[in-house]
Amino acid sequence: MSTFQRPQTSTQQNQSNWASELWQTYIASGDVTALLISIVLLLMPAFALRAADWPISLNFTVPVVIISLLFGYFLSRSRYNEFYALIVSGLYGVITVILLAAFSNSLNPVRGIEVVIIRTLEWIIDAATGGINQDTLVFSMVVSVLFWFFGYNTAWHIFRIDRVWRVIIPPGLILVVNMVVYAGEANLDWYLMAFALMSLLLIVRSNLDAREWDWYVNGVRVPQRLRRQFLAVGTGISLLALVFAWGIPSGNLQERLNNFQQFLASDPIRQMAEFWNRLVEPIESEGPATFDYYGGDSLNLGGAIQLGDQVIMLIDAPTDNRLYWRSRVFERYNNGRWMPSATRRVADFNLPLDIIAPAGTDLGRLTIQQTVTMSNPTRLIYAAPQPVSVDVTGRIDLLRTNGDQDDANSPMNVSVIRPERVIQRGESYTVLSAISVASADDLRNAGTNYPDWVASPNASGVGVSGRIADLARQIVTDANATNPYDQAKAIETYLRTNITYNEQIPAPPDGVDPMEWFLFTQREGYCTYYATSMVAMLRSLGVPARMAAGFAEGEFDSQLGQYVVRERDAHTWVEVFFPGYGWVEFEPTSAQAPINRDGDDVSPENNEPTGAPTTEPTATPTLLPTSTPQPTATYSDTDAQALDAPPTITVTPSPTPTATPVIVPTVAPPVAPPDPPNTSFLSFLLPAIGFAFLLFLSILLIVAILLTLWWWWEWRGMGGLSPVSRAYARLLRYLGLIGIRSTDDKTPEERRKQVVRQIPNAERSVSAITRNYIKERYSQPRDGSPEQIRNNDIADRAWSDARRNILVRWVKRFIPFLKD
């Protein structure tokens, strides 16, 4: 018998059965089913969080759940102990989440990682210093890391140590707490039912595994179909149990929920909620947060929008002036994303909640009172700009205008006002606002002596492309606009005249400046694009401007004597700062009626409304609407029901205004100088960190490839072999590297002599492997005997020496000048 063979099985059969052996080594009976059940189990809390409007991205939360379970499964089948496996899983989990987050931001991995690092560092700094940062990307990453450990924990405690309750309880708590605090209209019961069903199935599997082990120990033969039958019966019983449990009367459940809500309102929980709300975008709930329009601390320029006709609020206010109902303002803009400049969240539990206006902003102002009645729960205060007093207690996100952010008596630049508790459907609040009634001539003569807190960032052209700056200069030059007011009116008129209003636009292409795409390529869009472009062009001219968000005026109901504000009225507009007069509103969106002041040069067409009410986007749901107020509108009985029952969202299609001729400049615009390079240390550090991280990932990938190749060469086809037979099989495989080909007609001893002649240095190790292999093949020592253990140890050590000598000879074949 001269050909090497695996004991009791031919080499060809071994190779053909390799995949089957690998599968049987790692995958036990029922493991695939258990993995699928575990995936569904963990996805239910993730889907429930998203259904409750938590700011998480399922685009990388779902892959994280699946990858973490598979990774945890193979760790559970490895020889690693629990501590080492946890460290390895945590490292790969963080890397996976960062990569998924990076690719969700940019197809360029270096740029994506840089953005993720910057936003994460900003979030950590704000969390530690009391700042406000509700970055949804970072929150999604935190949630994804949590679900990664849920996946690892699930795989380890199902497939390694069988502790099924440690699998069910952690995600179950997330799901139950989410259902308790959520106060929206989405039905989360189905997620709980699916979670409960998957939990029961895992319990069934755990009990079956315990029984099968007992049967195995006691020598009881288990039928092959038993597991499938057991699981089928367990599924049926679990479904019956769920149906029965769902039909049991709840008893005093509502009383317990009310007690829980009182617990949420306690001081310790409220303080924790304050910290939470600084860092997490709010959701619709009775506790820390609820449903809002523009409730998040970011606003992105996105694609098509669509809103319904439901009533949001009724407002009792004077009708002598054009009004907006503002929820918040945004000052910082970066590549399609708006953020506020507020740095502090201040809690004020005194009545009324007073706002200290900055000095030099009180000219041309009229104080009016508004009473707002909500027909949907909210945790935002809507008020005409600029609010000065609210008859509720709450929290204010602000920037102190004197520079001392800790001075409680310092004037405030207010970003958003949040009530202490959710304002429920049918509840009202009263707010005083100092609205602007300044004439055009007043604003023309206001000058440009801007205070520091206004000039930065509101008058900075950073981030505005040279092409947009050129367009702004051309517009004001053609209009002969020499002061900030006339410049703002010229840009406002240009946008209203040359850009078509359209809600059904696609999202801006990746890698393209959204404003350039809107102004020069698409040439149509909705209010967020209009307002962003006007702010950018004004800032390129050194004029302070910012984005305001909330609702347009709505329709005035003459019978009720109130404004009826609907979902379709959600809107964004522009506020421009004038020294002495403060922030003043401008309306660049062509679908809205223009704002005309005393002293404006008004053409007849500018006095005409621009069409029927149309819809625009909101910030948090990424949808925005607006409509032109119609004083003769009436408030129907159906609308009146909105205060008592949740309204139904109906899609309202909107006509698209006809585009007007484009104004072609007669003079070539001057070329703007290139933006100065950013030479800050941070601009060097962050790309360096991103490059280092990418280099680290590249090294990991190379190591993984090398390990795969090593495994393929070293272990392929070796499953089931003893250490002695494995050493001999590897010896034959490696000899091919140096050109030694053994034919089937040679005995192991003849092969040994051939190798020794060509590699004298390996004589001792090759002889040891060969002789132990012959002894094992033909004398067949008893398994587990001292002799076999000793032979195995000798074969392992001899193979290490033989491999080293073979590889040295292999390298010398490529480097001729090396000598023995």
Side-chain angles (χ1 to χ4, degrees), residues 631-655:
T632 59
T634 58
Y635 186 59
S636 66
D637 294 337
T638 303
D639 293 334
Q641 298 174 1
L643 298 179
D644 301 319
T648 302
I649 296 177
T650 56
V651 176
T652 305
S654 307

Short mmCIF file of all heavy atoms in Angstrom, two decimals, residues 631-655:
data_model
loop_
_atom_site.label_atom_id
_atom_site.label_comp_id
_atom_site.label_asym_id
_atom_site.label_seq_id
_atom_site.Cartn_x
_atom_site.Cartn_y
_atom_site.Cartn_z
N PRO A 631 -58.68 84.89 3.75
CA PRO A 631 -59.51 85.36 4.86
C PRO A 631 -60.95 84.90 4.78
O PRO A 631 -61.65 84.89 5.77
CB PRO A 631 -59.41 86.88 4.75
CG PRO A 631 -58.14 87.12 4.00
CD PRO A 631 -58.02 85.99 3.07
N THR A 632 -61.45 84.51 3.62
CA THR A 632 -62.86 84.15 3.50
C THR A 632 -63.12 82.68 3.75
O THR A 632 -64.24 82.23 3.67
CB THR A 632 -63.36 84.51 2.10
OG1 THR A 632 -62.58 83.80 1.13
CG2 THR A 632 -63.24 86.00 1.83
N ALA A 633 -62.08 81.91 4.07
CA ALA A 633 -62.27 80.48 4.27
C ALA A 633 -63.11 80.22 5.50
O ALA A 633 -63.13 81.00 6.44
CB ALA A 633 -60.93 79.79 4.39
N THR A 634 -63.82 79.10 5.53
CA THR A 634 -64.63 78.72 6.69
C THR A 634 -64.10 77.44 7.28
O THR A 634 -63.50 76.62 6.61
CB THR A 634 -66.10 78.52 6.27
OG1 THR A 634 -66.16 77.52 5.27
CG2 THR A 634 -66.70 79.83 5.73
N TYR A 635 -64.38 77.26 8.56
CA TYR A 635 -63.89 76.11 9.33
C TYR A 635 -65.03 75.13 9.43
O TYR A 635 -66.06 75.41 10.06
CB TYR A 635 -63.44 76.60 10.69
CG TYR A 635 -62.80 75.57 11.56
CD1 TYR A 635 -61.66 74.90 11.14
CD2 TYR A 635 -63.32 75.28 12.82
CE1 TYR A 635 -61.04 73.98 11.94
CE2 TYR A 635 -62.70 74.36 13.62
CZ TYR A 635 -61.58 73.70 13.19
OH TYR A 635 -60.95 72.79 13.99
N SER A 636 -64.90 73.98 8.79
CA SER A 636 -66.01 73.03 8.67
C SER A 636 -66.21 72.26 9.97
O SER A 636 -65.36 72.22 10.85
CB SER A 636 -65.73 72.06 7.53
OG SER A 636 -64.62 71.26 7.85
N ASP A 637 -67.41 71.59 10.06
CA ASP A 637 -67.69 70.75 11.23
C ASP A 637 -66.71 69.59 11.30
O ASP A 637 -66.34 69.14 12.38
CB ASP A 637 -69.14 70.21 11.13
CG ASP A 637 -70.16 71.34 11.23
OD1 ASP A 637 -69.80 72.39 11.80
OD2 ASP A 637 -71.29 71.16 10.75
N THR A 638 -66.31 69.10 10.14
CA THR A 638 -65.34 68.00 10.14
C THR A 638 -64.02 68.45 10.76
O THR A 638 -63.39 67.73 11.53
CB THR A 638 -65.09 67.50 8.71
OG1 THR A 638 -66.34 67.10 8.16
CG2 THR A 638 -64.13 66.33 8.70
N ASP A 639 -63.61 69.69 10.43
CA ASP A 639 -62.38 70.21 11.02
C ASP A 639 -62.52 70.38 12.52
O ASP A 639 -61.57 70.21 13.27
CB ASP A 639 -62.02 71.56 10.39
CG ASP A 639 -61.64 71.41 8.93
OD1 ASP A 639 -61.18 70.31 8.58
OD2 ASP A 639 -61.80 72.37 8.17
N ALA A 640 -63.72 70.73 12.99
CA ALA A 640 -63.89 70.95 14.43
C ALA A 640 -63.66 69.68 15.22
O ALA A 640 -63.29 69.72 16.39
CB ALA A 640 -65.31 71.47 14.70
N GLN A 641 -63.85 68.53 14.60
CA GLN A 641 -63.63 67.27 15.30
C GLN A 641 -62.16 67.01 15.59
O GLN A 641 -61.82 66.13 16.35
CB GLN A 641 -64.18 66.11 14.48
CG GLN A 641 -65.69 66.21 14.26
CD GLN A 641 -66.19 65.13 13.33
OE1 GLN A 641 -65.43 64.31 12.86
NE2 GLN A 641 -67.50 65.14 13.06
N ALA A 642 -61.30 67.82 15.00
CA ALA A 642 -59.86 67.60 15.19
C ALA A 642 -59.43 67.80 16.62
O ALA A 642 -58.42 67.26 17.06
CB ALA A 642 -59.06 68.53 14.28
N LEU A 643 -60.20 68.60 17.39
CA LEU A 643 -59.83 68.82 18.79
C LEU A 643 -60.20 67.65 19.67
O LEU A 643 -59.75 67.56 20.80
CB LEU A 643 -60.50 70.10 19.31
CG LEU A 643 -60.11 71.39 18.59
CD1 LEU A 643 -60.86 72.57 19.17
CD2 LEU A 643 -58.62 71.62 18.69
N ASP A 644 -61.08 66.77 19.19
CA ASP A 644 -61.52 65.65 20.02
C ASP A 644 -61.01 64.31 19.54
O ASP A 644 -60.91 63.37 20.30
CB ASP A 644 -63.06 65.60 20.04
CG ASP A 644 -63.65 66.89 20.59
OD1 ASP A 644 -63.09 67.40 21.58
OD2 ASP A 644 -64.64 67.39 20.03
N ALA A 645 -60.68 64.18 18.27
CA ALA A 645 -60.23 62.90 17.72
C ALA A 645 -59.05 63.13 16.81
O ALA A 645 -58.94 64.17 16.18
CB ALA A 645 -61.37 62.22 16.95
N PRO A 646 -58.19 62.16 16.72
CA PRO A 646 -57.03 62.31 15.83
C PRO A 646 -57.48 62.44 14.38
O PRO A 646 -58.28 61.66 13.91
CB PRO A 646 -56.24 61.02 16.02
CG PRO A 646 -56.83 60.34 17.19
CD PRO A 646 -58.20 60.88 17.38
N PRO A 647 -56.98 63.47 13.68
CA PRO A 647 -57.36 63.63 12.28
C PRO A 647 -56.70 62.59 11.39
O PRO A 647 -55.66 62.05 11.71
CB PRO A 647 -56.84 65.04 11.94
CG PRO A 647 -55.74 65.26 12.91
CD PRO A 647 -56.10 64.50 14.15
N THR A 648 -57.36 62.35 10.27
CA THR A 648 -56.81 61.40 9.29
C THR A 648 -56.00 62.14 8.25
O THR A 648 -56.45 63.14 7.70
CB THR A 648 -57.95 60.63 8.61
OG1 THR A 648 -58.71 59.97 9.60
CG2 THR A 648 -57.39 59.61 7.61
N ILE A 649 -54.78 61.66 7.98
CA ILE A 649 -53.93 62.30 6.98
C ILE A 649 -54.43 61.94 5.59
O ILE A 649 -54.61 60.78 5.27
CB ILE A 649 -52.47 61.86 7.15
CG1 ILE A 649 -51.95 62.34 8.50
CG2 ILE A 649 -51.60 62.39 6.01
CD1 ILE A 649 -50.55 61.89 8.78
N THR A 650 -54.70 62.95 4.79
CA THR A 650 -55.05 62.73 3.39
C THR A 650 -54.08 63.49 2.52
O THR A 650 -53.75 64.64 2.81
CB THR A 650 -56.48 63.21 3.11
OG1 THR A 650 -56.57 64.58 3.49
CG2 THR A 650 -57.50 62.40 3.90
N VAL A 651 -53.64 62.87 1.48
CA VAL A 651 -52.66 63.49 0.59
C VAL A 651 -53.34 64.57 -0.23
O VAL A 651 -54.40 64.34 -0.82
CB VAL A 651 -52.02 62.45 -0.33
CG1 VAL A 651 -51.09 63.10 -1.32
CG2 VAL A 651 -51.30 61.43 0.52
N THR A 652 -52.79 65.77 -0.25
CA THR A 652 -53.33 66.90 -1.01
C THR A 652 -52.40 67.23 -2.15
O THR A 652 -51.35 67.83 -1.92
CB THR A 652 -53.51 68.12 -0.09
OG1 THR A 652 -54.31 67.75 1.03
CG2 THR A 652 -54.19 69.26 -0.85
N PRO A 653 -52.74 66.87 -3.38
CA PRO A 653 -51.85 67.24 -4.49
C PRO A 653 -51.86 68.73 -4.71
O PRO A 653 -52.87 69.40 -4.45
CB PRO A 653 -52.44 66.49 -5.68
CG PRO A 653 -53.86 66.24 -5.30
CD PRO A 653 -53.91 66.13 -3.82
N SER A 654 -50.77 69.29 -5.17
CA SER A 654 -50.64 70.72 -5.34
C SER A 654 -50.25 71.06 -6.76
O SER A 654 -49.42 70.40 -7.35
CB SER A 654 -49.57 71.25 -4.39
OG SER A 654 -49.84 70.84 -3.09
N PRO A 655 -50.85 72.13 -7.30
CA PRO A 655 -50.44 72.54 -8.63
C PRO A 655 -49.05 73.13 -8.63
O PRO A 655 -48.64 73.75 -7.67
CB PRO A 655 -51.49 73.60 -9.01
CG PRO A 655 -51.98 74.12 -7.68
CD PRO A 655 -51.90 72.97 -6.74
#
